[in-house]
Amino acid sequence: MDVTIEKNLQDLWKVQQIDSRIDAIRAVMGELPMEVADLEDEIAGLETRVEHIQGEVAELKSEISNKKNAIKDFQALIEKYDDQLNNIKNSREYDAISKEKEIAGLEILSAEKKIKDLTAQIEAKSEVLTATEESLDSKRKDIEFKKSELGEIEKENEEELEKLGKERDAAAKKLDERYHRAYHRIRENMKNGVAVAAIVRNSCGGCFGKIPPQRHSDIRAHYKIIDCEFCGRILVDEHISGIKAQNEEDKPKTTRRKMRLTATK
Ligand SMILES: [Zn+2]
């Protein structure tokens, strides 16, 4: 066992742990603003929809008002025809005016039917409008909450990141410069930013590649820094990582017996 190697492994593991926490916080901080942006898009869409329906309702209302005016005009015409009918000179004139009066009456009926249709359309649109406005209202409350939550989380995370940054600098300072460089080189190549992996269930915690028993023993011996033969990550054993071995052969015999007893109960 090389004390310097063991210390460097501990320092590498520590730096990795801090960097992984920093990465996790940054990932969360990246997701929250996206959630707010999605909500903003939804709200803009609902606002457009509300405006559109309001425009349609206004158009229907103006159509109704036009029809009402037309009815008034036809009613005035009918009154005029009635006056004329009272002072009629011959039967041909009577028939002609009666015909005009009848047509005006039909126009009024048709306009009244149209008003009924338009009113039904307004009612249907108003229902959709109410539902859309309610949805908009709830989304606006959501975004208000999300924004204040985001502000708080960002503040907390900034503080946490500052603290972690200091811890990281302190840990990195203790680390041998060559290992620090190697750590960065490996980390840059890894999608998850993990350059130092713990051995979990006899496998690399980074790529899950199986570690042969001899290599595992060499890693445990702490006489040199050993990487994973599959992914190139630096491997640390259970002693460094504190992650308990999950294999039967690594467990103390008493635990094994106890587990077996529990299992047969
Ligand atoms: Zn690996």
Side-chain angles (χ1 to χ4, degrees):
M1 195 214 280
D2 185 324
V3 178
T4 321
I5 290 292
E6 187 171 273
K7 207 199 139 291
N8 272 307
L9 281 169
Q10 278 162 350
D11 291 339
L12 276 165
W13 179 246
K14 185 157 192 199
V15 169
Q16 177 67 69
Q17 294 292 95
I18 299 169
D19 275 341
S20 291
R21 269 180 76 192
I22 293 173
D23 290 346
I25 291 171
R26 293 227 167 101
V28 170
M29 283 174 82
E31 275 166 28
L32 281 169
M34 270 194 277
E35 278 178 38
V36 171
D38 283 349
L39 264 177
E40 273 170 352
D41 284 349
E42 277 181 62
I43 288 172
L46 287 171
E47 279 169 346
T48 309
R49 191 140 184 247
V50 164
E51 262 175 52
H52 187 74
I53 302 170
Q54 280 169 340
E56 284 177 332
V57 169
E59 242 174 73
L60 291 169
K61 279 183 178 163
S62 115
E63 250 187 90
I64 287 178
S65 137
N66 287 343
K67 289 288 167 198
K68 280 183 177 164
N69 286 335
I71 288 173
K72 270 184 206 153
D73 290 346
F74 284 118
Q75 279 166 342
L77 264 180
I78 287 172
E79 274 175 40
K80 197 186 90 188
Y81 294 143
D82 281 339
D83 279 348
Q84 287 174 344
L85 287 173
N86 287 333
N87 306 299
I88 215 75
K89 290 184 183 76
N90 57 51
S91 70
R92 235 183 69 198
E93 206 180 342
Y94 184 88
D95 287 346
I97 294 170
S98 293
K99 187 78 195 158
E100 289 297 325
K101 190 189 158 186
E102 196 192 327
I103 291 168
L106 289 173
E107 290 285 1
I108 289 174
L109 284 179
S110 153
E112 279 169 349
K113 191 183 171 292
K114 186 76 189 165
I115 288 174
K116 233 175 135 185
D117 285 352
L118 293 168
T119 308
Q121 281 184 51
I122 289 178
E123 270 167 28
K125 292 217 183 282
S126 297
E127 267 175 42
V128 178
L129 184 64
T130 307
T132 313
E133 279 171 337
E134 274 168 12
S135 169
L136 185 59
D137 207 43
S138 113
K139 297 270 177 208
R140 277 180 179 147
K141 276 180 192 142
D142 268 7
I143 203 164
E144 211 174 296
F145 178 75
K146 274 245 156 67
K147 272 183 177 169
S148 79
E149 189 189 41
L150 180 64
E152 268 171 47
I153 290 173
E154 270 173 344
K155 196 172 152 266
E156 276 169 28
N157 284 343
E158 297 295 349
E159 286 164 6
E160 178 78 1
L161 282 176
E162 207 188 303
K163 200 182 116 218
L164 285 171
K166 277 178 194 157
E167 276 178 36
R168 198 212 171 280
D169 288 348
K173 236 179 240 171
K174 291 183 195 158
L175 191 59
D176 184 290
E177 182 53 36
R178 277 175 312 149
Y179 293 138
H180 196 196
R181 273 204 303 273
Y183 169 83
H184 275 294
R185 203 173 51 240
I186 302 168
R187 190 168 138 79
E188 271 163 29
N189 287 325
M190 300 299 168
K191 263 190 189 157
N192 62 0
V194 172
V196 182
I199 296 173
V200 182
R201 293 174 203 204
N202 286 343
S203 302
C204 164
C207 71
F208 307 110
K210 201 95 186 140
I211 297 158
Q214 185 52 52
R215 206 173 175 87
H216 200 159
S217 303
D218 289 347
I219 293 163
R220 280 198 184 115
H222 301 166
Y223 69 85
K224 64 172 183 167
I225 298 223
I226 297 174
D227 62 4
C228 168
E229 56 188 324
F230 306 107
C231 68
R233 287 180 174 95
I234 296 164
L235 288 168
V236 294
D237 64 319
E238 302 79 5
H239 174 73
I240 301 284
S241 72
I243 296 172
K244 290 248 162 65
Q246 302 281 323
N247 291 303
E248 287 287 292
E249 61 180 66
D250 297 322
K251 276 178 194 148
K253 284 201 171 86
T254 48
T255 314
R256 245 197 288 171
R257 197 171 298 132
K258 213 184 278 169
M259 282 198 61
R260 231 175 252 148
L261 284 170
T262 319
T264 51
K265 255 180 201 168

